[in-house]
Amino acid sequence: MQPLETIDESDLGISAQARAMPDLDRMLDQLARRSGPPLPGLLDIGCGMGALTVRMGHRLGIERLIGVDCDLDRLAAAAGRGLETHALDLEQDPIPVASGSVGLVTCFGVLAYLSLYDQVLAETARVLEDGGFFLFSMPNLASHQNRLAILFGYQPSQVDVSSPFRGAGTLRRRPLNRQGMPPLLHAATLRCMKELLDLYGFDVEIVRGFSPRPFHNPALRRAASHLPSLSRRFLILARKRPSA
């Protein structure tokens, strides 16, 4: 029987972050150095089947693990891994977690599937304790690939305009296989997310760029991590400012 935190092929198929674990592990190590004692709880927004949530909880010594998602089958798998689970419409529903009760909220790759980010960001700020952490990743609208695509008149790769014909107008010419995931509605630039986080009461502490298909060349990997505004995706660790 596999350990509960084992990342398997099903997890890799739905999570770009799971395909870039070294980048996440480096960020978690830096988070551990900043947070001190074990955090009071971890809320994973868009937890999927929960393997990544359990892995982060074990790495950071967090006992209470909460997962929210809209997919009932994935939530059942997450519950089997020991998560407290809740089925939600992330754009409409409040998260059934007490205000100021968790120390870490994570959200990997989910925001780009939403029409607006406000509900997730507002609920994240509400459930976090003062000084709590928000760790998330998402596609970068201003990646070097998208900048080149727009320059030559192509559609950015993280802005789908059709569900049955995903990737229409982009540089990609192979069919996309996202294992039943909905269309990516829109990504955002790093500058945009920094400004939005500030408006919701967060201070950005660390930013790291990465690719869900890691470069084999170490120099390219280092360049992607140190140039997050141009990378395909970015990881952000932000901290909630104390209430006035």
Side-chain angles (χ1 to χ4, degrees):
M1 186 175 183
Q2 289 184 328
L4 295 178
E5 70 270 23
T6 298
I7 306 295
D8 60 24
E9 289 300 319
S10 297
D11 301 295
L12 294 172
I14 64 170
S15 173
Q17 192 61 69
R19 299 193 295 274
M21 286 307 305
D23 298 283
L24 177 59
D25 286 342
R26 291 187 188 97
M27 191 71 90
L28 292 174
D29 290 342
Q30 294 184 68
L31 169 57
R33 288 193 288 270
R34 284 167 163 76
S35 62
L39 296 166
L42 162 59
L43 166 65
D44 192 7
I45 298 175
C47 66
M49 292 168 285
L52 200 57
T53 320
V54 174
R55 193 177 191 278
M56 291 187 294
H58 284 183
R59 194 175 185 96
L60 296 171
I62 302 174
E63 293 187 2
R64 186 188 182 197
L65 304 177
I66 311 160
V68 300
D69 207 295
C70 61
D71 189 297
L72 297 180
D73 291 335
R74 291 172 184 165
L75 282 175
R81 284 174 157 136
L83 273 67
E84 171 191 332
T85 59
H86 303 279
L88 298 178
D89 178 342
L90 293 176
E91 295 194 81
Q92 301 292 333
D93 298 334
I95 297 173
V97 173
S99 300
S101 64
V102 300
L104 173 62
V105 174
T106 57
C107 181
F108 301 122
V110 173
L111 292 175
Y113 291 101
L114 307 178
S115 57
L116 293 172
Y117 303 166
D118 298 290
Q119 180 72 3
V120 166
L121 293 178
E123 283 295 279
T124 294
R126 180 185 66 79
V127 303
L128 275 175
E129 62 181 359
D130 285 351
F133 294 92
F134 181 30
L135 175 62
F136 70 98
S137 64
M138 62 184 298
N140 180 11
L141 184 62
S143 68
H144 64 280
Q145 293 99 329
N146 280 343
R147 294 183 191 219
L148 286 172
I150 292 173
L151 180 64
F152 290 103
Y154 288 91
Q155 180 77 0
S157 60
Q158 286 85 21
V159 186
D160 288 327
V161 295
S162 170
S163 182
F165 303 108
R166 299 186 194 183
T170 68
L171 287 168
R172 180 184 290 271
R173 283 295 170 257
R174 289 177 297 172
L176 292 173
N177 179 15
R178 291 187 180 145
Q179 295 199 8
M181 300 294 285
L184 285 163
L185 297 183
H186 60 80
T189 66
L190 179 57
R191 183 185 298 272
C192 169
M193 291 312 300
K194 286 181 175 179
E195 182 174 331
L196 194 57
L197 287 167
D198 178 64
L199 292 169
Y200 274 97
F202 290 93
D203 293 322
V204 173
E205 298 222 334
I206 308 172
V207 181
R208 182 180 182 88
F210 72 97
S211 170
R213 299 177 184 84
F215 297 106
H216 296 295
N217 186 308
L220 290 176
R221 284 200 302 271
R222 286 193 297 271
S225 67
H226 293 301
L227 296 171
S229 63
L230 295 175
S231 63
R232 291 190 60 186
R233 290 178 178 249
F234 47 74
L235 262 166
I236 294 180
L237 177 65
R239 196 166 196 172
K240 180 183 173 181
R241 291 194 292 267
S243 302

